[in-house]
Amino acid sequence: MAGVCLGYDAEFYLSQHDRFLHDFAHRSNRMQTITDGEPPRIFLNILRIITSWDTLYYRLRSCFDGYASKVYPAPPPSTKTDGPAVYDFHKQVVNITRTSKDEMTVSVLNHDTSEISNIEADLVIGADGPDSFVRSKYLPNVKRKYVGYIAWRGTVPESEVSMSTRAIFTRSVSLQLLHLQHCIMYTIPGPSGSLEPGERVFNFLWYTNESEEALEQIMMDEFDSHRHHNIVPAGHVRKDLWKARVDAGKRMPLAAPFLEILVKIQRPFIQVVTEFCSPHAAFEEGRVLLIGDALSLYRPHTAFSGTQAAFDALKVEQYVDRKISCQEWEENVLSYVIFLR
Ligand SMILES: Cc1cc2nc3c(=O)[nH]c(=O)nc-3n(C[C@H](O)[C@H](O)[C@H](O)COP(=O)(O)OP(=O)(O)OC[C@H]3O[C@@H](n4cnc5c(N)ncnc54)[C@H](O)[C@@H]3O)c2cc1C
């Protein structure tokens, strides 16, 4: 479970397409720094609307194809104008070819049967994330680049945290600035999406600079020793490395509220910070588009990626409705990338 901070366009997207009415995000109304032994210092009064990935994912799924989850067991009713929506699992796009002036053929590998089938498409939207196949086909030289630092991450249920630490963290996004590194903490909904005090979760990140050589060890899986590329998933971080990280936090020491959370993390994970920016977003005369993380990858502490994906999706809607041309669509999404950078 990890947090996601909604930005302006993500909120606008939800105002157009979210069919639930109840709130699903925690509201922090200020940013503060914390130094050990000193009271927190508020440096910015700003509303940050933060939810969890699980909550956002299940909410969108529920609206998209009526998927009933633990978080949203009762999907909203469909309306007369809804078209069919299919969320296909275990399928991977392995090729895209232009078969006629107006049509693309998408080859899809079914991982359950190992069969490849073809789908004819008027429009292919490459929303296939930072390791996008679509981007690799059209822009093979645009690749994720390591920027020199990583995030040690984890979450702790609010119920396991002392009242004094809760009081410091719940209303704010909190930072501890250290020499060439920093920690950040914010509150996200609980596993079932709850925003009730005591049922929420504290989300912790500690950014540290690491050389490419050091990553060989840091990214090694605790159980089978294979080298993860960009994320060591929760529960797979090497135990000796995590112990060393916690010991470093005690030695420094981190400010007491941060340290309390750090030592209580049960299933840490590691995220390597990478980025890239594509110079083009539309191909095959507008029949293939790149959006979201497939188009451009931001560093996580900017918290802009989700809002970029929402902006791009809203622009696709305008393009499909013929309110903007392909050229305007591409200019819009590429300008947005530059604007947020
Ligand atoms: C740990 C973590 C924390 C984050 N925190 C924040 C945050 O606080 N705020 C924020 O704004 N953003 C955050 N992000 C970024 C955010 O997750 C992405 O910006 C967002 O998910 C982008 O959506 P997307 O649809 O473009 O790509 P993804 O969410 O990556 O979705 C891509 C999808 O395409 C599928 N796919 C990939 N290749 C193929 C293929 N060949 N064929 C078929 N399907 C394929 C994948 O399985 C996946 O389902 C975070 C990311 C991580 C990893």
Side-chain angles (χ1 to χ4, degrees), residues 9-20 59-60 62-64 76 310 313-315 317 321:
D9 291 294
E11 285 172 53
F12 185 68
Y13 177 93
L14 290 166
S15 75
Q16 303 295 300
H17 297 290
D18 183 9
R19 291 180 176 177
F20 288 98
R59 193 166 177 120
L60 294 177
S62 194
C63 294
F64 177 68
L314 289 164
K315 286 290 161 192
E317 190 180 8
D321 286 346

Side-chain angles (χ1 to χ4, degrees), residues 102-170:
D102 297 323
E103 211 163 61
M104 306 296 303
T105 298
V106 181
S107 304
V108 181
L109 169 66
N110 182 331
H111 280 278
D112 292 330
T113 61
S114 299
E115 282 170 10
I116 292 181
S117 55
N118 290 330
I119 301 171
E120 307 304 319
D122 303 321
L123 178 66
V124 179
I125 302 170
D128 49 348
D131 298 312
S132 167
F133 166 78
V134 180
R135 190 184 72 250
S136 72
K137 179 172 171 74
Y138 291 98
L139 300 169
N141 295 326
V142 180
K143 297 200 170 109
R144 298 174 83 146
K145 194 166 139 259
Y146 177 49
V147 299
Y149 56 93
I150 68 170
W152 305 79
R153 307 183 59 145
T155 55
V156 175
E158 192 181 359
S159 58
E160 293 175 14
V161 175
S162 67
M163 294 309 274
S164 56
T165 294
R166 288 192 209 185
I168 288 170
F169 285 141
T170 39

Side-chain angles (χ1 to χ4, degrees), residues 2-6 53 87 91-94 127-134 153 186 231 269 271 291-294 297 300 302-309:
V4 56
C5 183
L6 303 177
W53 278 108
Y87 194 101
K91 306 268 179 74
Q92 182 185 359
V93 173
V94 289
D128 49 348
D131 298 312
S132 167
F133 166 78
V134 180
R153 307 183 59 145
Y186 47 84
I231 288 188
F269 69 103
Q271 182 181 8
I291 69 167
D293 279 8
L297 186 62
T302 62
F304 284 150
S305 305
T307 212
Q308 171 192 237

